[in-house]
Amino acid sequence: MQIPEIDRDECLEFLSKLVQIKSYSQTDGELEATGFMAEQMKNIGLESELAPFDGGKRQNALGIWRGTGSSTQATRTPKTLLFNGHLDTNPVSEGWTIDPWEGKIDDKFIYGIGVSNMKSGCAAYFCAVKTLMAAGWRPCADVILTYVVGELQGGVGTVALIEQGKIKADYFINCEPSDIRAVTMHAEALTFEITLKGITRHMSAREEAQDAIMAACRLIPELNAMTFRGAKSKDHEKCNRCQVGIVHGALGKELVEWRPAQVADVCKLAGSARYAPGQTQKSVMEDLRAVIEKCLENFPGMAFELNQRFEPTMPAFEVSPDSTLVKSLNDAYFQVRGENQPTGVLAPTCFYGSDAGHLYKTLGMEGIVCGPGGKYNTRPDEAVDIPDYLDCIRMFMRVIVDICG
């Protein structure tokens, strides 16, 4: 089949409209965004529905482009393909110089809160399907479009679709921002909390104290440099990272701050550990404990508590670079750009969590993470390169034709 060319202006205008919907996570804006996508899918002829969850307070949107069931391929049986992306966004931070909800377009970028994470990916697969439908092409196997919310709370929207039995496909593409590179593995995350308990004295006698803040200053670089036991390969080890993001030291368990002339005897830290498929929460926590114990040998009398904070999180994900889907995406990239697609365990995306983990772990689905955006992700004046967005649409059309027949 001759792949049709996209309507550049129409694709950009559609993404701009999606950005203009203020869909902060866990607000009514989610309902507006999912309602908008359900309507748009219905308008182009897809089977479209809204799937409420969380007692009806939240909802996902999904659409199905039904296949004909008859194959035109002599070499391979057509397979069903699911696209997955989230419409909820982070809040706007300080530092923006443009209107976060304008959906501004210039000659290089399209801007807005959530445009990279990840409304450009969501718009890309909608525009790919719309362009193919307008050209008169029909798939032999189903193409499923899912637009979820709650990804920012550990993927509760995709989990809801799974529990409702609404997700079933041979392959998936999760469109988290990867700068349209093919990411074949990402980490799982756990959150840990450490409380250091030292010995206080007035600053005049600080030689007799054990300063919990000083211990934290020694410990944090060691934690941030960690990798973890049990990585199955060098590629799996690439997914290992540890980062302390919260530090609070003061007096007593209440962290009293009005007496800075006294040596801090308590310091609380919290951080995140990222680890690969095959590594476990248990072994990661054991490794953290070993590093803490070794560091605190330099602080006699310093005690500590280490706890895991249990909260919704994303499972790890991996796929073989030799997967049929990965090869199809690689071929599509080459056809569009004339060069090989970067593929593998690629930073920074390999440290993200994504709904790919739920599809992989819970349903055993084979998939890939690939979407526009990334370089300017989750920051003031968030933006996506226009060529990446448009080329992603072109790539997705080719993958749909190749995989779905």
Side-chain angles (χ1 to χ4, degrees):
M1 175 195 173
Q2 180 67 38
I3 303 295
E5 188 45 74
I6 63 174
D7 185 323
R8 178 185 187 277
D9 292 342
E10 185 178 273
C11 293
L12 287 170
E13 181 183 357
F14 181 81
L15 176 53
S16 179
K17 287 181 179 178
L18 194 54
V19 170
Q20 290 166 29
I21 300 173
K22 186 178 180 180
S23 53
Y24 279 174
S25 198
Q26 301 185 91
T27 69
D28 286 346
E30 292 181 339
L31 302 176
E32 183 181 354
T34 48
F36 172 79
M37 286 310 310
E39 181 181 7
Q40 295 300 312
M41 289 188 287
K42 181 179 179 181
N43 288 346
I44 65 171
L46 301 186
E47 296 178 18
S48 174
E49 69 169 298
L50 292 167
F53 70 101
D54 192 18
K57 291 180 289 187
R58 307 178 84 175
Q59 64 187 18
N60 299 309
L62 64 156
I64 302 175
W65 188 9
R66 291 291 180 191
T68 63
S70 58
S71 174
T72 59
Q73 296 190 34
T75 58
R76 190 167 71 221
T77 302
K79 300 291 186 181
T80 52
L81 176 62
L82 178 141
F83 289 89
N84 174 263
H86 68 89
L87 295 171
D88 54 328
T89 77
N90 291 301
V92 173
S93 64
E94 296 297 318
W96 282 75
T97 64
I98 59 174
D99 182 347
W101 296 285
E102 179 187 350
K104 178 182 176 181
I105 302 168
D106 62 21
D107 58 343
K108 293 183 179 179
F109 302 106
I110 180 165
Y111 302 86
I113 187 69
V115 69
S116 177
N117 188 24
M118 57 174 290
K119 290 184 175 181
S120 59
C122 291
Y125 56 83
F126 174 82
C127 291
V129 165
K130 182 179 180 181
T131 302
L132 288 171
M133 294 184 79
W137 185 80
R138 289 285 306 278
C140 298
D142 294 352
V143 181
I144 304 102
L145 309 186
T146 59
Y147 295 94
V148 303
V149 299
E151 194 270 352
L152 299 173
Q153 289 80 52
V156 295
T158 291
V159 170
L161 284 180
I162 292 171
E163 291 176 346
Q164 292 165 353
K166 293 184 179 296
I167 288 183
K168 184 179 180 181
D170 296 306
Y171 296 120
F172 71 83
I173 298 178
N174 174 273
C175 302
E176 283 287 341
S178 70
D179 296 310
I180 63 172
R181 303 175 302 164
V183 178
T184 59
M185 187 188 305
H186 73 57
E188 186 163 348
L190 67 78
T191 301
F192 60 87
E193 297 174 326
I194 302 167
T195 301
L196 302 177
K197 301 177 180 180
I199 302 169
T200 188
R201 293 288 188 274
H202 186 265
M203 62 182 291
S204 62
R206 69 185 183 191
E207 291 80 6
E208 301 174 11
Q210 282 297 346
D211 190 332
I213 292 177
M214 291 296 290
C217 290
R218 177 79 70 90
L219 176 61
I220 289 169
E222 296 188 21
L223 293 171
N224 287 353
M226 285 185 71
T227 56
F228 305 105
R229 289 175 297 143
K232 294 188 288 186
S233 69
K234 290 295 184 183
D235 273 349
H236 287 76
E237 192 172 291
K238 290 178 184 177
C239 285
N240 283 193
R241 180 164 286 195
C242 187
Q243 182 67 38
V244 175
I246 297 173
V247 183
H248 189 185
L251 288 174
K253 63 181 181 180
E254 302 299 327
L255 295 171
V256 176
E257 296 183 348
W258 66 266
R259 184 62 171 162
Q262 200 164 328
V263 174
D265 63 342
V266 175
C267 191
K268 294 185 177 182
L269 296 76
S272 182
R274 303 297 166 100
Y275 54 100
Q279 295 176 301
T280 68
Q281 293 185 4
K282 181 175 183 291
S283 65
V284 168
M285 291 296 289
E286 289 172 350
D287 289 352
L288 287 166
R289 180 172 295 277
V291 167
I292 298 167
E293 290 174 345
K294 180 67 176 177
C295 178
L296 295 189
E297 290 176 0
N298 299 292
F299 299 87
M302 185 75 63
F304 76 93
E305 293 179 2
L306 170 65
N307 294 293
Q308 183 177 347
R309 182 193 299 171
F310 290 94
E311 55 193 8
T313 188
M314 309 290 199
F317 151 80
E318 66 179 326
V319 65
S320 169
D322 295 323
S323 158
T324 297
L325 178 64
V326 177
K327 292 300 185 184
S328 178
L329 186 66
N330 291 162
D331 289 345
Y333 185 99
F334 187 85
Q335 291 168 30
V336 171
R337 293 204 156 176
E339 59 189 39
N340 292 330
Q341 183 180 30
T343 299
V345 188
L346 305 174
T349 313
C350 67
F351 300 118
Y352 295 175
S354 86
D355 283 326
H358 293 302
L359 299 173
Y360 169 73
K361 182 177 181 179
T362 306
L363 296 179
M365 289 176 64
E366 189 172 318
I368 189 68
V369 175
C370 179
K375 288 193 289 289
Y376 313 105
N377 190 38
T378 315
R379 64 186 67 190
D381 296 347
E382 183 177 343
V384 169
D385 292 285
I386 288 174
D388 280 5
Y389 169 59
L390 298 176
D391 282 352
C392 190
I393 299 169
R394 297 179 178 109
M395 290 161 52
F396 287 168
M397 286 195 296
R398 286 162 171 80
V399 173
I400 291 169
V401 169
D402 182 46
I403 294 295
C404 302

